[in-house]
Amino acid sequence: MSDQQKHRVVYVSHPASGLARSNFPLVCHVAGSRIVRSLPYYIPEDVKLYEIKTSRGVFTRPRKEVQMPLAYAWKQRVHSGTRVRYPLLRDDWSPDNPNPAKRGSSGYSRISWDRALDVVVGQINRIREKYGSMEPVLVQADGHGQSGYLQSLHFWGHYLFDMIHERLGWGWWTQQVRNPDSWEGYYWGAKHVWGFDSTLGEPPQDAVWDDVLEHAEMVIFSGNDPEATGLGMSGSIALEMPKWLKRAGIKIVAISPDLNYSAAVQADKWIPLKPNTDSALYLALAHTWIVEGLYDKDYVRTHTVGFEEFKRHVMGKDDGIAKTPAWAAKITGVPSHTIRALAREWASKKTSVSVYFGGPKVRGSLSHLVTRLEAYVLAMQGIGSPGRQFLRTGAPSFYKNALAQVPRFPEVDKHGIAMNPMIEYAIGKGPKSPVFIPRTLATEAILSPSIQWRGTSAALAKTEDQFNRYRFPPNDDHPGIRMVWNENGSQPGSWGYGFKWLEALQSSKIEFVLGVHPWFENDIPYSDLILPAQTHFEHQDLIAVQRSDLLAMFYQEQAIEPVGESKSDFEIHRMIGQRLGLDEVFPPADEWLRSAYEGTLASTKLGITWEEFKKKKSIVYDCPTWDEWVEIKKEHGFGPHDGGLHGFWSEAGGLETPSGKIEFVSSRIAALDPENAERPPLAKWIAHSELQGSRKSQEYPLSVVSNHPRFRFHVQGDDIDWIKEIGKVRGPDGYMYEPCWIHPSDADVRDISDGDVIMVHNERGAVLVGAVVTERIIPGAVSIDHGAKIDLVQLKGKLIDRGGCINLITPSPLEKYGVGEEIKIPEMTVSGFLAEAVKIDVSEIVASTGVGHGSTVSG
Amino acid sequence: MTYLPLLCQHCANAPCIKACPEDAIKRRDDGLVWIDPEECTGCGLCEEACPYDVIYMNGELGIAQKCTGCAHRVDEGALPRCAEVCPHDAIVFGDEADSVFSEDEHGATLEVYHPEYQAEPRVYWKGLPKPWIAGTVVDPVSDEVISDVAITSVDLFEDGSVTALSDEFGDFWIRRMEKGRKYRLEIRKEGYEDFLAIVTTDGDQDLGNVCLKRTR
Ligand code: SF4
Ligand code: SF4
């Protein structure tokens, strides 16, 4: 008997890119309640793939679509020990005595759904009666979650409270606004140089590969790691794109503190530099170009403003410090001869810069300066001219213009797949509720109100919004946050200064914490009530493939019976809505899915009905032929091998900056926030406390680099044994520790050997990790991926994390500002900060009874 | 940097088969070597015998386990799981007679890993890691890298030498050297004194900055 006959074969969404969008699904073989196999998807032979035709060859993608290892291992999470199977009520919580300090250490008891809904609705009513509105409820519903269109979405809390406001008239809620996390530097920085609001400060990717593959001679991977972050978000196309570069004979130069997974196998040259010092490198490149006359002077004259002031700064005419390669060598650790060689290569070869989200550069302290300086050097070399582009190796998440990065029909881009409108709550132009808090300030909103800041931090907000003043609580008699609605379960592991967030959840101000989650992990064990959410194996859904180079839709059948009494995220909110009399705005799932589907080309153009689609289960849209693509491009003003910022290059205007040009000196900052020393009108190298050489670095001399994990997706998947086996360091005590890359010279002076358990610590706390002694990290730095699963223990009387969740000890935006001071840039810092590492004796670790993750569940 | 995914080599002359007192390890007609869990007593002798160290003892079940070549899938006409799920197609599965394993396909014959174990492994490799010698040629006076310099490595005991040119970053990288040999490295550039060094390829050799002295 073949597999097909023995097993039911269902499409299940790629687990972890989330936010209502997905990648190609897994092909799962199911027998009863057992998920036997998860296999890659093959694009059917009758689907027309694109071909990028260039003088260096023809480029396309393979039909096999492989996802990150985590995706295939995800099935182990379905029945894992950490699964929340029933509604769980914290043993020492009661409405009158919430015992907040015990959050994280209490046991839980199983209760019925009926009682659970009573508790939730009871708490909503209590808040309304006591405080007069829903404003004391902080809704955290913007996590990546599992990638379903509807069922596993993390925005339902916002929708529910929006409807409570609109239909019941109970007032606004406090909306947590997701900051542009993986784009921080570009959002708060580069936007002031070149605009690009709708692509979060990174240049749009229209047909960019046609240009790069035809013209580029060198591509700089600036902290870019397609093998890790790219594969996680974009699937295997992220691995294919670097191979295109190689096949086209383009040199890849990786600049990063770590020899990351892509650089290790794809780069022709690795230039290690100290974390968070890219600004100094860029200034020294500019210096060499100015001294040797190696930049595009015509372009600078016609396409930019403010260059003379930048030039003065580079040459040290304003501050007496010439930004020479020798000056930068001391800061960056890159030899001056290498900086000059790079400068000459960059100038003489058509060079593009490539990133894909994170990377150490974009999410460090003051990373907005780095990205502005990056934009300056790109401008000096005429960005937009053939072969000189800004390139994302993977699918862009945000589109500006009509054209995709590779040949696709614009009509398919616009109407091919369903996009859940709920995404607006997390990735919109601004908060729906006038009462809101950026995600980076949620901790402060609880622990130290009142706070004031600038900018909503909404992903698609206009640049001007960064100068608007906001505050929380909105007025002085406001009760502040009293209840937390947590659908994410990711705050302490994906955002910064996580120990403080755990402290905030234990604050006596917080009367009720609701967790909605499939797993008992991260900050979910700090909830008073946990509602059991499902994995995407347990419900039907629509799979909207958007995080790929191709667009497609799949129908996800329910693969197995729900585990325990779990319900989908959608269903949980629907049940709560029904209790509140909001039935009308929560129609059943199939109705939502049908109407979403019926708005797409599959229905409107191809005439495939919803019922037919549910049987057929998949639609992968055809791509245009090269000739059709050339025609499409012509309509949009592009020649066959034009792409990226070609339009700006040929027209020298039309950007979203006040001048319409690239601004070395930001006229908007100069007009609206000129005195901000942290973000001056002209970006400069600014030494700060989280850099080596600062006073703090005497005690904490190591810089921590923290990338998107290779084997997790943010905090997700650390409970999977298969993943632990490949991704962790087994300690002498058998515990699987989070790996920490440390250079042999740094290990030596600390008496650290490969495999030792070490404590990485700073003034914010400590985490335990397993040493990987390697030359793949620059001396003076350590690399620990973000988001390991938290596991609090005692060591010498101190509460520390054995799980190695480095985000627990990253800086808070508030550290840079005094109490009560306005937070001018509520940026997130999760990489490029200081710490020290010391070897520890594992026999001294005391698994603390009753702390967070040792909690018991009875019933 | 090289990664080497090491799985059972499905040896034609398998030490594990010889070591197993229960005859629990069998070779199928297609060459896949597998451990019959019904017959395995968990004595652990095969684990010790396997020179590639790819047998694992399953303490829970009390048996030895290893890669089966996904024989159950192969029988259904499917690929082994590792080959199917590798996004880079770095693992290819098929009959030894298939053209993908031929010399024509690769421009060289494929190698086996550790032939000296004499286990006649049937996993074939392309690009098995070999030692390299690398460095950056620098003029310390001008603080500039030196491009286009010829770097020659001369094998001290066998005939033959290899020459590489330093690139725009001053970097040179002589790859695929033989292990455990002694080489004389010669860097000659007009205007500079000759640079000579003896390098032993015990492992990869990164010479870092190689500074050339100017001739007076
Ligand atoms: S590699 Fe080891 S386990 Fe595999 S056949 Fe050879 S000796 Fe046996
Ligand atoms: S193919 Fe199957 S049997 Fe072979 S290594 Fe992979 S998992 Fe093991």
Side-chain angles (χ1 to χ4, degrees), chain A residues 3 6 37-38 42 64 66 72 227 239 243 251 259 261 269 336-337 340-341 344-345 349 776, chain B residues 1 3 72-73 76 81 83-89 138 142-145 167-169 171 209:
Chain A
D3 257 23
K6 272 189 303 204
R37 267 172 219 154
S38 302
Y42 288 83
K64 181 165 89 171
V66 181
Y72 301 100
E227 287 281 335
L239 309 185
K243 285 191 241 173
K251 189 164 182 167
L259 182 69
Y261 298 94
K269 165 87 180 160
S336 39
H337 56 247
R340 269 193 300 275
R344 290 170 196 145
E345 274 292 275
K349 287 201 164 85
R776 287 179 68 171
Chain B
M1 262 307 299
Y3 294 99
H72 60 301
R73 285 173 53 86
E76 287 171 6
R81 186 56 199 263
E84 170 144 38
V85 89
C86 174
H88 292 286
D89 290 330
V138 177
S142 62
D143 189 24
E144 296 285 0
V145 302
D167 68 8
E168 298 83 348
F169 291 96
D171 293 346
N209 286 341

